[in-house]
Amino acid sequence: MLERAGSEGLFVGRLGESARLAECADRVRAGESWLAVVEGEAGIGKSALLRRFAASLADHTVLWATADASETGYSGGIIGQLTRRVDRALLAQFPLLAGEPPAGAAPHAVGGQLLLLLGALQESGRPVAVVVDDLQWADRLSVQALGFVLRRLWADRVLTVLATRPDAEAAAEPLDRLLRSLDRTVRLELRGLGDGEVAQLAEGLVEGRLAAGLIERLYTYTRGHPLYVRMVLAEVPAAALHDGVLERWPVPPSLRVGIRAQLNRLPKDARDLLAALAVLDARVPLATAGQLAGVADPVRALGPALVSGLAQWWPMEHQSPVALVHALHRDAVYETLTPERRRALHAGAATVVSTAAGWAHRVAAAGGPDARLADELEESGMREAANGRNALAATRLLWAASLSEHRDEHERRLLTACAQSLLTMLPGWSAKLRPQVEECAPGPLRSCVLGVMDMMAGQFAAAEAHLDRAWREALAQPAADWVAVLAGTFLANITLWHGRGAQTVEVARRTLAIGDLDPATTDFTRAALATGRLWHRGPRAALEDLTHLPDDGSAVPDHSLDTLATRGVLRLFLGELAPARADLQTAEARDRQGAGAKMGPLTLALLSVVHYLTGDWNESESVADRALAVAATHDQLLGDAAARFSAVCVLAGRGEWDATLDHVDNLARLAKTLGASTEIVYWSLAGATVAQARADHPAMLRALTPLLDGTPDSAGGAVRLRYRPFGLWQQSLLVEALAGCGRTEAAAAALDEMRQASDGTGYLRVVARLAGLVAEGRGRPHDALEIYEQAVAAVAAATDPADVSPLHRALLEQEYGRLLLATRAASRRTAAMWLHTAHGRFSALRATPFVQRCDASLAAGGLTAAPQAPSRLLTLTERELSVAYVVAGGRTNQEAAAELYVSQKTVEYHLSHIYAKLGISSRRQLGDALRALES
């Protein structure tokens, strides 16, 4: 074929797709963030479209990354590529981006710092474009971090373009979930070129006029696949292209056959250079490729390879890198090599690449079992495992298994590789090895691997049986300590998930007794033990398992954050809100900085609940929003329930019913799908909280039914709760529901149990109003008045206002005022005072359903609430309120952005709107303005 000079950069067609991408860029220039996903099969032109589009973004700061199948085990690799060309001084401000993320770094922590970096890059006035090619091969941490970033681009000028294959299983589900959660997205599916576009491509590639009818046949044969078109034109003799003798067209049976034909026409040194590039399978310096190929003049050898369209060159870059154009080219060239030639090239490649990259070449060069190399691979894999790089460890151990000389070594390494792969919490290739795992000799490691596989497949009964067997057998074999720890960790998760506290305590206790656990595993196991104790004996007993922690949470080391967060949760359940908040805030802040606590998503959700109870409802909404974003970032459903429950609390309290019921419906699906006790608790509590806000006592009781031993009947009798987490909260809702349904004696029995479990301190002192409700139900209004009077006095005397829930306090004051009016036990003025006080507290919270009921109580006594000017806080959006309260707390813009998981630009954008709406001009005035509007 006579190919036109300079045709290697030829680009035709894709006008519609290019126009839609350009439209996205225009919208980003105008101040919005957009996501574009480009899908198409291998070789269809995704990379070419991305390169051409990126070249048009001269006014953008472009961050580019290309994923590679050989690098999926390198955690954070795509994030590292995106930030590679960022100014190093700027990047140094973000420790999780400046180097390889530490083992265990949470994706939301990495994503949070990427958000800050994107904000800093926008300070130049230029929008930012984030482009990732071949997303299907990206590492898990990078994909999760990018997903988190995309959900938190509130007011940024950032365009994200992702290219992937439609058949990529690893990327499909997370990508679909992400697209469903975002508003500003466009999805482009690349198909073959049209016949006119094929004509343009052919005319651009071939010198001279093409024969009539050739384009139609070319289009019919290739269906417009650009790479295929190029290959066919390269294969057809020039005469056939020009003289119309189409029967002389030797149509190749496949793309790869055509590429081989191209190779056969090239000079030997060009073929050798392409062979070296196929083996290296990476962008490498031209000198390195030439050295491996054994060619004296690699520049001269490169020329024909470039003309053929098989190679690409970046002569203006440092070290003049080269690579094959496409993975299909790589595969086709590689297949032309004889086994001996492949082996020699791989052996040579191992000496010219980095040590890490060299492992794959050493394995490929091995002609069969190699005991020495297998030992080295195992040693290297276990070092990676010790550093938390489980995916990399799994790959090297699997290679070691393939090179093992003896069956027992092969099986041990195979099983260990699967175990390391499963520790990433992604089934990946390990799930496909299940038949081989089942063929291994019985033993604790085999049982452990099968158990984790079953757990990830949702087969919990089978998983528990395998893991229990593995754990017990490993405990009896001193050499299998690490297997016992692994099996015990997963087994404890299953037993906890199903609310079997005593069993969890036993598993965690015996696992800890093994000794020599690394600090993070020790801490997580201690947290599991304390949580098991919570389910078995309640939060007060569980705190005894955490006495190793210093009283001051800020003194807790990073490797003890899981137990610190657990202590915060236990204190929440006991109603000790101030210390609960201190523990959870410390754990959350360290997690945000990259400490890698496993309880990160749960910590945020329950911190939101603490803010709800202490009356910081705007902060509660903001933290719940972050908890939902963090939960969505992870690939599992764990954490979703707690985040959704935290969101329900304030939404229900403010009467935002549509959003509330959406969360409750999702919680119901989670509870029914997973069937776990934890999800049942969150679902039931959420439903009861909504019903409480609506004053629907029968609905409260129905919502609480899954938490009860047996089904409550209308005839009376004791009603007992089954679960300890949120026990006092459950109990208070149950007493209120029973009393409201007229089941006074059952309510009294439930109240007695509540008193036995609580010391009456903390926010729970205000639920003394429940005793008043029971007294009223028994026809003893004067006893009820005495109870209310003592309770309001006790609340007023509370030494720590943070431990007094404004909502519960207002409910108590409302009941007291209502009963004073009804019984005329005090002056109308006194009764009105208590109702007005309650009304003011409800109004400050913007608790609309409760305000309306307080209005009804006033109206019943012929009273009305004092008219209040509409709060100017209502003019602020939820996001503006989040920014306002964090900034008013004294944070700088960057500190506020880090805490909110947004960019500085988002903070600045919202602050400008906040100042305008509140009529202020600086952050110094913000705190006073907010306090004035709340009073």
Side-chain angles (χ1 to χ4, degrees):
M1 183 189 86
L2 299 175
E3 186 165 291
R4 192 185 303 275
S7 62
E8 61 273 7
L10 181 64
F11 184 90
V12 302
R14 309 304 186 200
L15 297 180
E17 294 87 349
S18 296
R20 294 185 73 185
L21 289 174
E23 181 184 354
C24 289
D26 286 340
R27 293 191 176 190
V28 169
R29 291 183 182 100
E32 299 178 344
S33 61
W34 274 80
L35 166 65
V37 177
V38 180
E39 292 182 316
E41 62 178 290
I44 202 67
K46 300 186 298 297
S47 298
L49 176 63
L50 261 59
R51 286 194 297 269
R52 185 174 181 83
F53 175 63
S56 72
L57 300 175
D59 61 336
H60 285 60
T61 298
V62 179
L63 308 181
W64 182 288
T66 301
D68 187 279
S70 65
E71 297 182 353
T72 54
Y74 289 89
S75 188
I78 293 301
I79 301 297
Q81 284 192 50
L82 290 173
T83 59
R84 184 174 296 157
R85 298 189 181 182
V86 173
D87 178 76
R88 307 321 289 176
L90 173 60
L91 200 59
Q93 299 176 30
F94 312 107
L96 298 182
L97 307 180
E100 182 181 346
H108 58 272
V110 176
Q113 294 203 357
L114 183 56
L115 279 162
L116 295 177
L117 174 62
L118 293 175
L121 291 173
Q122 291 172 75
E123 290 178 4
S124 66
R126 295 161 59 90
V128 178
V130 177
V131 184
V132 181
D133 197 6
D134 284 326
L135 181 72
Q136 71 275 1
W137 289 324
D139 64 280
R140 181 192 184 204
L141 175 63
S142 294
V143 171
Q144 291 177 316
L146 281 171
F148 183 75
V149 166
L150 289 168
R151 292 181 175 94
R152 305 297 293 177
L153 291 171
W154 288 359
D156 297 88
R157 296 197 299 159
V158 175
L159 171 62
T160 306
V161 185
L162 309 175
T164 188
R165 296 181 185 176
D167 57 349
E169 294 180 13
E173 185 178 345
L175 188 59
D176 287 341
R177 191 164 61 244
L178 176 64
L179 288 170
R180 288 195 300 270
S181 68
L182 300 175
D183 295 325
R184 296 189 292 271
T185 65
V186 62
R187 197 166 193 162
L188 307 176
E189 183 180 359
L190 290 195
R191 301 180 182 273
L193 299 172
D195 53 358
E197 293 163 339
V198 170
Q200 284 182 271
L201 181 58
E203 290 165 1
L205 290 170
V206 179
E207 293 280 5
R209 185 177 181 83
L210 297 176
L214 181 140
I215 296 300
E216 181 180 352
R217 179 173 179 182
L218 182 61
Y219 172 73
T220 301
Y221 179 65
T222 64
R223 304 311 300 172
H225 192 292
L227 196 60
Y228 217 163
V229 170
R230 284 179 175 270
M231 183 275 300
V232 170
L233 290 175
E235 176 66 10
V236 176
L241 295 174
H242 298 308
D243 64 14
V245 187
L246 297 180
E247 60 269 22
R248 290 165 53 190
W249 184 350
V251 179
S254 74
L255 183 60
R256 292 186 178 182
V257 171
I259 293 173
R260 292 192 197 107
Q262 285 181 275
L263 287 171
N264 290 336
R265 291 194 299 272
L266 294 176
K268 182 178 182 304
D269 59 352
R271 292 200 307 271
D272 289 343
L273 185 66
L274 290 171
L277 289 174
V279 167
L280 288 165
D281 195 18
R283 202 171 78 140
V284 296
L286 178 57
T288 299
Q291 177 186 347
L292 178 60
V295 298
D297 188 349
V299 174
R300 187 179 67 181
L302 180 62
L306 291 173
V307 172
S308 71
L310 297 175
Q312 53 189 331
W313 185 27
W314 294 267
M316 304 304 294
E317 291 189 20
H318 179 60
Q319 295 188 319
S320 190
V322 291
L324 291 176
V325 170
H326 198 278
L328 291 175
H329 291 143
R330 185 267 173 191
D331 293 344
V333 174
Y334 191 78
E335 286 180 1
T336 66
L337 304 177
T338 65
E340 294 79 8
R341 180 67 171 147
R342 288 185 194 179
R343 180 177 181 180
L345 285 172
H346 277 296
T351 67
V352 298
V353 299
S354 67
T355 301
W359 287 113
H361 292 296
R362 293 180 65 188
V363 171
D370 186 329
R372 180 178 176 183
L373 179 55
D375 289 342
E376 291 180 39
L377 282 163
E378 182 175 17
E379 183 180 349
S380 171
M382 295 314 292
R383 280 199 305 270
E384 298 292 355
N387 290 322
R389 293 188 281 268
N390 304 106
L392 210 53
T395 298
R396 292 185 186 164
L397 286 161
L398 190 63
W399 288 340
S402 70
L403 297 173
S404 300
E405 293 182 333
H406 305 291
R407 176 175 176 174
D408 59 340
E409 290 179 331
H410 167 78
E411 291 186 354
R412 174 174 54 78
R413 288 163 174 163
L414 170 68
L415 292 170
T416 308
C418 288
Q420 291 296 326
S421 174
L422 292 167
L423 281 172
T424 67
M425 298 307 292
L426 286 175
W429 50 258
S430 59
K432 299 175 183 177
L433 294 177
R434 179 157 189 142
Q436 294 184 43
V437 170
E438 291 175 338
E439 290 175 1
C440 291
L445 182 53
R446 174 183 179 273
S447 296
C448 181
V449 169
L450 289 173
V452 181
M453 286 179 171
D454 285 334
M455 188 181 82
M456 291 189 177
Q459 306 295 323
F460 295 110
E464 184 172 353
H466 279 304
L467 289 168
D468 186 67
R469 183 183 306 113
W471 179 66
R472 296 184 186 281
E473 289 178 358
L475 285 174
Q477 300 176 18
D481 281 353
W482 75 273
V483 181
V485 172
L486 184 63
T489 300
F490 281 104
L491 181 60
N493 273 303
I494 289 179
T495 55
L496 254 188
W497 211 19
H498 291 290
R500 298 203 299 272
Q503 189 175 354
T504 302
V505 169
E506 176 65 9
V507 172
R509 182 188 64 78
R510 294 187 63 183
T511 301
L512 283 169
I514 294 171
D516 295 326
L517 277 65
D518 65 87
T521 302
T522 297
D523 190 63
F524 183 69
T525 308
R526 276 179 161 172
L529 189 153
T531 308
R533 190 92 64 192
L534 157 69
W535 282 87
H536 181 46
R537 293 179 52 202
R540 187 70 66 190
L543 280 175
E544 296 300 316
D545 295 308
L546 303 178
T547 54
H548 66 287
L549 293 171
D551 290 338
D552 181 3
S554 64
V556 171
D558 283 351
H559 60 71
S560 293
L561 291 183
D562 286 323
T563 48
L564 178 65
T566 301
R567 186 175 73 178
V569 172
L570 297 175
R571 286 171 161 176
L572 163 62
F573 292 165
L574 288 167
E576 300 169 0
L577 300 183
R581 180 168 55 191
D583 283 349
L584 292 171
Q585 282 181 327
T586 298
E588 186 276 329
R590 299 274 196 83
D591 181 60
R592 189 184 343 122
Q593 294 159 8
K598 295 179 177 62
M599 291 181 62
L602 182 65
T603 301
L604 263 177
L606 295 186
L607 178 58
S608 170
V609 173
V610 172
H611 288 311
Y612 164 75
L613 291 171
T614 56
D616 297 326
W617 281 21
N618 295 315
E619 181 70 4
S620 178
E621 273 194 299
S622 176
V623 176
D625 172 70
R626 282 173 260 162
L628 287 165
V630 169
T633 300
H634 294 259
D635 295 323
Q636 293 112 33
L637 295 174
L638 301 180
D640 266 17
R644 290 188 180 278
F645 169 67
S646 70
V648 162
C649 293
V650 172
L651 289 171
R654 288 181 169 161
E656 298 179 29
W657 305 122
D658 289 343
T660 300
L661 294 177
D662 179 65
H663 284 304
V664 174
D665 288 344
N666 276 288
L667 282 166
R669 280 192 288 273
L670 281 172
K672 291 172 183 175
T673 299
L674 301 175
S677 301
T678 49
E679 274 66 27
I680 291 171
V681 170
Y682 286 121
W683 167 47
S684 296
L685 268 183
T689 300
V690 174
Q692 181 189 41
R694 286 180 152 165
D696 187 342
H697 297 108
M700 285 178 71
L701 197 54
R702 287 195 299 273
L704 292 169
T705 297
L707 305 181
L708 305 178
D709 272 330
T711 302
D713 55 62
S714 57
V719 180
R720 296 181 181 277
L721 290 161
R722 299 165 58 191
Y723 303 121
R724 303 275 189 171
F726 284 106
L728 295 175
W729 194 338
Q730 292 181 56
Q731 200 83 16
S732 69
L733 290 170
L734 178 61
V735 174
E736 183 175 344
L738 290 168
C741 291
R743 299 186 55 186
T744 305
E745 295 312 310
L751 182 60
D752 286 342
E753 287 191 16
M754 185 175 179
R755 284 173 172 149
Q756 293 169 18
S758 170
D759 59 7
T761 61
Y763 84 94
L764 290 162
R765 62 167 62 89
V766 299
V767 299
R769 73 181 180 91
L770 300 175
L773 294 178
V774 170
E776 288 190 64
R778 286 173 165 169
R780 300 174 185 169
H782 293 289
D783 290 349
L785 281 173
E786 185 177 350
I787 292 169
Y788 293 143
E789 183 178 1
Q790 292 174 356
V792 294
V795 170
T799 56
D800 191 343
D803 278 348
V804 178
S805 165
L807 177 65
H808 288 94
R809 183 175 186 176
L811 287 170
L812 170 62
E813 290 163 343
Q814 180 185 352
E815 298 294 358
Y816 188 31
R818 174 191 57 78
L819 191 56
L820 284 173
L821 272 179
T823 59
R824 299 182 181 180
S827 68
R828 219 160 155 269
R829 182 176 180 180
T830 300
M833 178 196 72
W834 287 110
L835 287 172
H836 284 138
T837 300
H839 195 279
R841 296 192 201 282
F842 290 138
S843 297
L845 294 171
R846 292 190 284 130
T848 303
F850 297 94
V851 169
Q852 291 170 346
R853 287 205 294 283
C854 201
D855 282 336
S857 294
L858 284 163
L863 303 168
T864 57
Q868 293 181 320
S871 172
R872 289 170 71 184
L873 281 180
L874 295 177
T875 67
L876 300 183
T877 66
E878 180 183 333
R879 289 177 176 177
E880 288 167 353
L881 284 168
S882 295
V883 171
Y885 279 97
V886 172
V887 170
R891 279 77 152 186
T892 65
N893 285 359
Q894 180 155 334
E895 289 169 342
E899 184 170 332
L900 292 169
Y901 291 116
V902 294
S903 70
Q904 301 98 296
K905 185 177 184 301
T906 291
V907 172
E908 293 162 3
Y909 172 85
H910 285 309
L911 274 179
S912 67
H913 286 265
I914 292 164
Y915 293 164
K917 289 180 178 181
L918 299 185
I920 59 176
S921 58
S922 73
R923 64 198 305 123
R924 289 194 302 272
Q925 299 171 292
L926 183 56
D928 291 339
L930 292 175
R931 283 188 291 274
L933 293 171
E934 289 173 343
S935 61

